[in-house]
Amino acid sequence: MRKVIDWFIVLVCAALPLYVVRFKILGVPTTFLEILILVLFLLWFFEKGLRTKKWLKLLNFGEYTIPVILFITTAAVSTVLSFDQNGGLGIFRAFFLEPILLFLIILERVQNGSGKYVLFGLVLASVWLSMLAILQKLGIAPVSEYAKNEIVQGRVVGVYNSANSLALFVGPVFALVLGTVFSKVKSTKNFHHLFFLSFVLFLQATVIIFTQSQAGVFAIGVVSIFAILAKILPNKFLVKIYQLIITLAIILTFLLPSLSFLGVNLGSIFSDTTLVNRNFVWQGTISLIFDRPLTGSGLDGFKELYGANYSSPAYSELLQYPHNLVLTFWSELGLLGMLVFFWFVVKLAQKAASNKMIGSGLMLAVIYFLIHGIVDVPYFKNDLSAQFFILLALTGWKGNE
């Protein structure tokens, strides 16, 4: 039965982007991904419960227990405080509760030798997404009605409505695979495995370039350089460089919006129209946070509150989120929720550096996540939130598979 669960994990990981398949059951909105996660949880819960007879200990997150409770609690409170409680409830379920359940399951399975199934599932997801995107580039595959403007601009979207969404999902998997190829993980010693993973890297890099996501392309460039350094430098120097990159990325995630709020025109400095628009959004978001530092806008409340009181006449587009990791969590979950999330980020970064099994790939994935998070939101989507907690769970992969 545990093998069935492991292969179901492969299915769930491979189907993460299919949250876009939406429908209703008895009038309740749901997604294909949500149904898969629910089925997986029931399979895992009853298999482990019946095998161990320790029902009360099944929901034990170990060292993560208190942070998980705080994270879920702040998300629940933010749902109650939201200007759109129905929307907030859906986000609470899809971006917080379900990823946490998936984290619980995968953490337990990788600690018991099933890490390769998780990695395989993530790779499958990136492969079919990338192949679909390449077919879109060739004009063969269809695209969402809402994404046709992206295609007109020469970008690719996969199953999403925006090219950035595709880069945000594929990027961390690219980093994970790149680290796996460059390290001495047993699975890459076989020539066929190495050839397959190299082909996957080519697909992923090509697609990220095709998305024309500036942050995505820059991030894969940084992780590629770091991967090369990992083969040259002694481990103690490599870890110091890794710590420096992580620290700088976190500082920039806080600093750039702060500079824009103080009147520094980042767009003119970097000659980038996107950063000009980010300037306006960040300025308004920080004003919102100053007014509501503890609670923010509540889950799914940013768009309405920002649009009503804080948007700039110079850039009137109403965005779902403020395109910055710190500002998004602070505005959606309040101060405590933002701090708890960054505890998870730091924990992931620390555990990645000490992991002997897949640490190289995890370190690169953290670097990608934080770099892209400076100017975008690599969490607030069904697939991205699940992917983050899957990466955190993979730090528990200690075996010699």
Side-chain angles (χ1 to χ4, degrees), residues 217-259:
V217 172
F218 178 74
I220 65 169
V222 173
V223 300
S224 298
I225 292 171
F226 186 82
I228 294 171
L229 290 176
K231 299 297 293 183
I232 300 173
L233 298 176
N235 188 63
K236 63 178 182 179
F237 292 115
L238 186 70
V239 171
K240 289 184 182 299
I241 293 174
Y242 168 69
Q243 292 170 340
L244 178 63
I245 293 173
I246 296 300
T247 302
L248 287 175
I250 292 176
I251 289 173
L252 286 173
T253 307
F254 281 87
L255 182 61
L256 288 188
S258 301
L259 290 176

Side-chain angles (χ1 to χ4, degrees), residues 305-321:
L305 186 59
Y306 171 83
N309 301 307
Y310 300 99
S311 64
S312 169
Y315 185 67
S316 58
E317 182 181 354
L318 297 182
L319 300 175
Q320 190 71 32
Y321 303 110

